[in-house]
């Protein structure tokens, strides 16, 4: 008896949208290689030209890389000495009024004391351990962006105000410490409302039992891992993109637009641009030299924008990378929260520059 063979029908796979994108890129690449092959090499060279000075001169041979390692180590020492648990106790009465977990303020305090990246690495796991909601973790990120991430930024700002005859005390209190209290309250009532108050009795202890020597050396090693595995790649991505945009002639207009925008917001365009694109510490160092030629209103705005989560690679790359690894948030959610925090900071810089200038100059 003959057995009839089954017919095998092979159906063609349906083209996905991303495959059309890939084919378009392939054809464009072939056209560029035929018409102007130097364009591809030029873009890569421009990306390299932007990335190398930042990675090598700032992170590797400059002070920033060492500062990050030391800040993580210092943060771990503070955590081991009960600093996190002490902060939770201090802010519990305030958190009870706001009906929010007191831990949302902790990353901002670590940030002011050390570094925004170390702050996320140390305090994000604590929020996760305390079972903070995603909204509360987002509030923590946005609040963290309200303070200076470098003690040198703070000290140089004070020096600039002294040289310019500007009374620094109200600026420090209203510009640095008040937002740490107000931002969690405002966000918990508006954008991120899925919050719940937790008393100390409902939260675990955050002080580890690690011996002294391993705390120090493990903290330094963790700082090095953060630097080489997360922060340098994140910075490379942002500056490579800037290099590519600069090569095709798009970046200069963007840079000019940012400068004009800062000037309209009562922020000194020169130092403001340095804060946004390069380094807040460099911006405050420049302000020390130029303060006598800068109106007090613009000097105040420049200091407040420097005491924030800038430059751009931090909210767009470093915060998402660090918090996605250490919290319940995805990289996109962490970036969204950091952008919210930066928008609040820009608005507060504009408002406080106008409000404080008549009282401090």
């Amino acid at each position: 008896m003959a057995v009839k063979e089954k017919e095998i029908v092979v159906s063609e796979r349906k083209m996905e949208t991303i495959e059309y994108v890939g084919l378009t890129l392939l054809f464009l690449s072939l056209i560029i290689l035929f018409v102007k092959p130097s364009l591809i090499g030029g873009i890569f060279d421009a990306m390299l030209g932007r990335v190398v000075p930042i990675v090598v001169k700032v992170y590797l041979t400059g002070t920033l890389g060492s500062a990050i390692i030391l800040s993580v180590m210092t943060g771990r020492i503070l955590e081991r000495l009960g600093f996190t648990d002490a902060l939770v106790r201090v802010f519990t009465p305030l958190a009870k009024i706001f009906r929010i977990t007191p831990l949302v303020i902790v990353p901002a305090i670590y940030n002011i004391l050390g570094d925004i990246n170390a702050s996320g690495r140390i305090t994000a796991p604590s929020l996760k351990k305390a079972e903070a909601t995603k909204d509360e973790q987002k509030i923590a990120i946005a609040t963290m962006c309200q303070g200076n991430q470098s003690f040198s930024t703070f000290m140089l700002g004070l020096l600039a105000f002294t040289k310019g005859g500007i009374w620094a005390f109200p600026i420090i209190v209203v510009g640095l410490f008040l937002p740490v209290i107000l931002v969690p309250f405002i966000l918990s009532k508006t954008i991120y409302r899925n919050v719940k108050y937790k008393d100390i009795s409902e939260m675990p202890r955050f002080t580890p039992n690690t011996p002294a020597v391993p705390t120090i050396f493990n903290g330094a090693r963790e700082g090095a891992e953060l630097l080489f595995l997360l922060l340098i790649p994140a910075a490379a991505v942002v500056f490579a993109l800037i290099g590519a945009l600069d090569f095709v002639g798009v970046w200069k207009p963007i840079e000019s637009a940012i400068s004009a925008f800062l000037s309209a917001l009562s922020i000194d365009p020169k130092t403001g641009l340095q804060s946004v694109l390069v380094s807040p510490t460099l911006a405050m160092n420049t302000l020390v030299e130029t303060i006598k030629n800068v109106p007090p209103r613009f000097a105040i705005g420049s200091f407040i924008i420097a005491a924030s989560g800038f430059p751009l690679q931090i909210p767009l790359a470093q915060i998402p990378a660090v918090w996605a690894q250490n919290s319940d948030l995805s990289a996109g959610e962490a970036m969204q929260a950091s952008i919210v925090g930066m928008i609040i900071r820009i608005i507060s810089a504009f408002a406080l520059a106008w409000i404080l200038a008549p009282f401090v100059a």
Side-chain angles (χ1 to χ4, degrees):
M1 181 177 172
V3 180
K4 189 178 180 180
E5 293 183 2
K6 293 182 178 179
E7 293 183 6
I8 301 174
V9 181
V10 180
S11 60
E12 192 175 329
R13 190 180 70 180
K14 185 181 178 182
M15 285 275 286
E16 299 284 341
T17 304
I18 195 66
E19 291 177 276
Y20 286 110
V21 174
L23 285 172
T24 304
L25 286 173
L26 175 62
F27 287 125
L28 283 174
S29 300
L30 291 173
I31 292 169
I32 292 169
L33 284 171
F34 180 75
V35 177
K36 194 175 182 181
S38 62
L39 181 61
I40 296 175
I43 289 175
F44 182 79
D45 188 56
M47 292 165 69
L48 199 62
R50 281 279 185 169
V51 170
V52 169
I54 298 298
V55 170
V56 176
K57 295 180 182 179
V58 177
Y59 283 94
L60 295 180
T61 60
T63 58
L64 183 57
S66 298
I68 290 169
I69 294 172
L70 291 174
S71 64
V72 175
M73 182 185 74
T74 304
R76 288 301 183 194
I77 292 170
L78 291 173
E79 181 186 46
R80 180 64 184 86
L81 295 173
F83 189 73
T84 305
D85 281 315
L87 285 174
V88 171
R89 286 194 176 273
V90 168
F91 287 109
T92 292
L94 190 63
K96 191 173 183 179
I97 296 171
F98 293 167
R99 307 307 300 167
I100 190 172
T101 175
L103 265 172
V104 297
I105 300 176
V106 174
I109 304 300
Y110 270 98
N111 177 29
I112 291 171
L113 291 174
D115 174 80
I116 202 164
N117 305 294
S119 174
R121 187 62 171 252
I122 293 165
T123 58
S126 298
L127 282 156
K128 189 175 180 178
K129 185 179 177 183
E131 298 180 349
T133 66
K134 278 194 171 187
D135 276 8
E136 287 173 332
Q137 293 176 48
K138 291 174 184 178
I139 290 172
I141 291 175
T143 306
M144 186 177 67
C145 293
Q146 306 309 308
N148 58 272
Q149 50 181 293
S150 167
F151 195 63
S152 58
T153 302
F154 177 77
M155 292 307 296
L156 286 168
L158 285 182
L159 179 59
F161 289 145
T162 302
K163 284 187 67 176
I166 298 172
W167 187 24
F169 180 76
I171 303 170
I172 302 302
V173 173
V174 179
L176 283 185
F177 298 119
L178 195 59
V180 174
I181 297 170
L182 289 181
V183 168
F185 175 72
I186 293 169
L187 290 178
S188 67
K189 304 301 179 187
T190 53
I191 304 174
Y192 304 127
R193 293 190 286 181
N194 182 20
V195 298
K196 53 184 178 181
Y197 170 69
K198 277 192 174 183
D199 192 67
I200 288 180
S201 60
E202 301 176 69
M203 290 190 287
R205 290 188 182 276
F206 303 106
T207 304
N209 296 317
T210 316
V213 174
T215 296
I216 296 171
F217 284 97
N218 288 344
R221 185 180 66 182
E222 189 178 355
E225 290 174 355
L226 179 66
L227 174 65
F228 289 102
L229 300 182
L230 281 178
L231 304 185
I232 287 179
V237 168
V238 173
F239 284 97
L241 179 61
I242 290 174
L245 292 174
D246 192 24
F247 182 81
V248 298
V250 176
W251 179 247
K252 290 297 181 186
I254 294 174
E255 197 172 31
S256 298
I258 294 173
S259 180
F261 176 69
L262 292 172
S263 183
L265 292 177
S266 300
I267 297 167
D268 177 44
K270 183 178 181 179
T271 57
L273 207 59
Q274 288 177 337
S275 291
V276 172
L277 299 180
V278 186
S279 164
T281 301
L282 175 62
M284 290 300 96
N285 189 57
T286 302
L287 189 63
V288 170
E289 299 170 358
T290 61
I291 185 70
K292 292 186 178 179
N293 300 319
V294 176
R297 178 162 52 89
F298 281 72
I300 294 167
S302 293
F303 174 77
I304 293 173
I305 207 69
S308 66
F310 281 126
L312 278 176
Q313 74 264 22
I314 292 177
L316 298 183
Q318 293 177 8
I319 288 176
V322 173
W323 282 76
Q325 282 203 351
N326 296 282
S327 70
D328 294 319
L329 303 176
S330 66
E333 289 170 327
M335 184 187 295
Q336 177 207 64
S338 64
I339 291 171
V340 168
M342 296 316 302
I343 291 172
I344 292 171
R345 198 60 176 157
I346 291 169
I347 293 171
S348 64
F350 170 67
L352 294 177
W354 279 96
I355 293 169
L356 293 174
F359 302 100
V360 299

